[in-house]
mmCIF file of all heavy atoms in Angstrom:
data_model
loop_
_atom_site.group_PDB
_atom_site.id
_atom_site.type_symbol
_atom_site.label_atom_id
_atom_site.label_comp_id
_atom_site.label_asym_id
_atom_site.label_seq_id
_atom_site.Cartn_x
_atom_site.Cartn_y
_atom_site.Cartn_z
ATOM 1 N N SER P 32 4.242 4.969 -5.342
ATOM 2 C CA SER P 32 4.335 3.946 -4.290
ATOM 3 C C SER P 32 5.788 3.582 -4.036
ATOM 4 O O SER P 32 6.210 3.431 -2.885
ATOM 5 C CB SER P 32 3.545 2.687 -4.683
ATOM 6 O OG SER P 32 2.172 2.944 -4.723
ATOM 7 N N LEU P 33 6.561 3.455 -5.102
ATOM 8 C CA LEU P 33 7.986 3.158 -4.950
ATOM 9 C C LEU P 33 8.713 4.297 -4.235
ATOM 10 O O LEU P 33 9.618 4.043 -3.427
ATOM 11 C CB LEU P 33 8.629 2.898 -6.314
ATOM 12 C CG LEU P 33 8.552 1.467 -6.810
ATOM 13 C CD1 LEU P 33 8.996 1.382 -8.268
ATOM 14 C CD2 LEU P 33 9.375 0.541 -5.947
ATOM 15 N N ALA P 34 8.324 5.532 -4.499
ATOM 16 C CA ALA P 34 8.930 6.671 -3.801
ATOM 17 C C ALA P 34 8.651 6.567 -2.302
ATOM 18 O O ALA P 34 9.537 6.825 -1.471
ATOM 19 C CB ALA P 34 8.397 7.990 -4.362
ATOM 20 N N GLU P 35 7.437 6.161 -1.939
ATOM 21 C CA GLU P 35 7.108 5.963 -0.520
ATOM 22 C C GLU P 35 7.946 4.827 0.068
ATOM 23 O O GLU P 35 8.402 4.910 1.208
ATOM 24 C CB GLU P 35 5.614 5.668 -0.345
ATOM 25 C CG GLU P 35 4.702 6.843 -0.651
ATOM 26 C CD GLU P 35 4.869 7.995 0.328
ATOM 27 O OE1 GLU P 35 5.072 7.755 1.537
ATOM 28 O OE2 GLU P 35 4.789 9.152 -0.125
ATOM 29 N N ALA P 36 8.157 3.761 -0.709
ATOM 30 C CA ALA P 36 8.969 2.638 -0.244
ATOM 31 C C ALA P 36 10.409 3.087 0.017
ATOM 32 O O ALA P 36 11.020 2.683 1.011
ATOM 33 C CB ALA P 36 8.938 1.504 -1.268
ATOM 34 N N HIS P 37 10.941 3.934 -0.854
ATOM 35 C CA HIS P 37 12.297 4.454 -0.654
ATOM 36 C C HIS P 37 12.371 5.278 0.633
ATOM 37 O O HIS P 37 13.352 5.179 1.382
ATOM 38 C CB HIS P 37 12.739 5.291 -1.855
ATOM 39 C CG HIS P 37 13.193 4.475 -3.015
ATOM 40 N ND1 HIS P 37 14.417 3.842 -3.064
ATOM 41 C CD2 HIS P 37 12.568 4.167 -4.185
ATOM 42 C CE1 HIS P 37 14.536 3.192 -4.202
ATOM 43 N NE2 HIS P 37 13.428 3.368 -4.902
ATOM 44 N N LEU P 38 11.346 6.077 0.914
ATOM 45 C CA LEU P 38 11.316 6.854 2.153
ATOM 46 C C LEU P 38 11.280 5.939 3.372
ATOM 47 O O LEU P 38 11.928 6.215 4.385
ATOM 48 C CB LEU P 38 10.118 7.809 2.162
ATOM 49 C CG LEU P 38 10.171 8.956 1.153
ATOM 50 C CD1 LEU P 38 8.839 9.699 1.126
ATOM 51 C CD2 LEU P 38 11.320 9.900 1.468
ATOM 52 N N ALA P 39 10.540 4.846 3.265
ATOM 53 C CA ALA P 39 10.489 3.885 4.370
ATOM 54 C C ALA P 39 11.878 3.288 4.605
ATOM 55 O O ALA P 39 12.332 3.188 5.745
ATOM 56 C CB ALA P 39 9.474 2.781 4.069
ATOM 57 N N ALA P 40 12.567 2.921 3.535
ATOM 58 C CA ALA P 40 13.916 2.349 3.657
ATOM 59 C C ALA P 40 14.871 3.339 4.310
ATOM 60 O O ALA P 40 15.668 2.968 5.176
ATOM 61 C CB ALA P 40 14.437 1.926 2.289
ATOM 62 N N GLU P 41 14.786 4.598 3.912
ATOM 63 C CA GLU P 41 15.642 5.630 4.502
ATOM 64 C C GLU P 41 15.414 5.759 6.002
ATOM 65 O O GLU P 41 16.322 6.120 6.748
ATOM 66 C CB GLU P 41 15.405 6.970 3.818
ATOM 67 C CG GLU P 41 15.918 7.034 2.393
ATOM 68 C CD GLU P 41 15.477 8.289 1.658
ATOM 69 O OE1 GLU P 41 14.997 9.251 2.311
ATOM 70 O OE2 GLU P 41 15.609 8.300 0.417
ATOM 71 N N ALA P 42 14.207 5.441 6.438
ATOM 72 C CA ALA P 42 13.867 5.509 7.858
ATOM 73 C C ALA P 42 14.153 4.196 8.581
ATOM 74 O O ALA P 42 13.849 4.059 9.766
ATOM 75 C CB ALA P 42 12.395 5.885 8.024
ATOM 76 N N GLY P 43 14.721 3.212 7.871
ATOM 77 C CA GLY P 43 15.049 1.928 8.481
ATOM 78 C C GLY P 43 13.912 0.926 8.484
ATOM 79 O O GLY P 43 14.021 -0.137 9.086
ATOM 80 N N GLU P 44 12.833 1.247 7.815
ATOM 81 C CA GLU P 44 11.672 0.351 7.731
ATOM 82 C C GLU P 44 11.800 -0.544 6.497
ATOM 83 O O GLU P 44 12.504 -0.207 5.541
ATOM 84 C CB GLU P 44 10.380 1.172 7.591
ATOM 85 C CG GLU P 44 10.095 2.118 8.730
ATOM 86 C CD GLU P 44 9.360 1.481 9.893
ATOM 87 O OE1 GLU P 44 9.042 0.271 9.840
ATOM 88 O OE2 GLU P 44 9.093 2.211 10.860
ATOM 89 N N VAL P 45 11.093 -1.660 6.502
ATOM 90 C CA VAL P 45 11.020 -2.502 5.308
ATOM 91 C C VAL P 45 10.422 -1.641 4.191
ATOM 92 O O VAL P 45 9.381 -1.003 4.385
ATOM 93 C CB VAL P 45 10.168 -3.764 5.561
ATOM 94 C CG1 VAL P 45 9.988 -4.564 4.285
ATOM 95 C CG2 VAL P 45 10.808 -4.620 6.648
ATOM 96 N N PRO P 46 11.080 -1.593 3.027
ATOM 97 C CA PRO P 46 10.670 -0.649 1.978
ATOM 98 C C PRO P 46 9.437 -1.078 1.193
ATOM 99 O O PRO P 46 9.526 -1.647 0.108
ATOM 100 C CB PRO P 46 11.907 -0.579 1.074
ATOM 101 C CG PRO P 46 12.548 -1.908 1.234
ATOM 102 C CD PRO P 46 12.297 -2.307 2.665
ATOM 103 N N ILE P 47 8.299 -0.778 1.767
ATOM 104 C CA ILE P 47 7.020 -1.013 1.093
ATOM 105 C C ILE P 47 6.261 0.301 1.113
ATOM 106 O O ILE P 47 6.199 0.976 2.146
ATOM 107 C CB ILE P 47 6.217 -2.130 1.775
ATOM 108 C CG1 ILE P 47 7.025 -3.436 1.760
ATOM 109 C CG2 ILE P 47 4.864 -2.326 1.079
ATOM 110 C CD1 ILE P 47 6.415 -4.549 2.571
ATOM 111 N N GLY P 48 5.710 0.659 -0.039
ATOM 112 C CA GLY P 48 4.947 1.893 -0.160
ATOM 113 C C GLY P 48 3.631 1.641 -0.859
ATOM 114 O O GLY P 48 3.480 0.671 -1.605
ATOM 115 N N ALA P 49 2.677 2.536 -0.618
ATOM 116 C CA ALA P 49 1.348 2.399 -1.210
ATOM 117 C C ALA P 49 0.749 3.772 -1.473
ATOM 118 O O ALA P 49 1.077 4.742 -0.782
ATOM 119 C CB ALA P 49 0.425 1.614 -0.272
ATOM 120 N N VAL P 50 -0.117 3.835 -2.465
ATOM 121 C CA VAL P 50 -0.935 5.022 -2.706
ATOM 122 C C VAL P 50 -2.355 4.562 -2.995
ATOM 123 O O VAL P 50 -2.582 3.440 -3.444
ATOM 124 C CB VAL P 50 -0.411 5.903 -3.874
ATOM 125 C CG1 VAL P 50 0.986 6.437 -3.587
ATOM 126 C CG2 VAL P 50 -0.471 5.188 -5.199
#
Side-chain angles (χ1 to χ4, degrees):
S32 293
L33 273 170
E35 291 294 322
H37 281 284
L38 292 172
E41 290 171 14
E44 300 274 0
V45 175
I47 300 172
V50 298

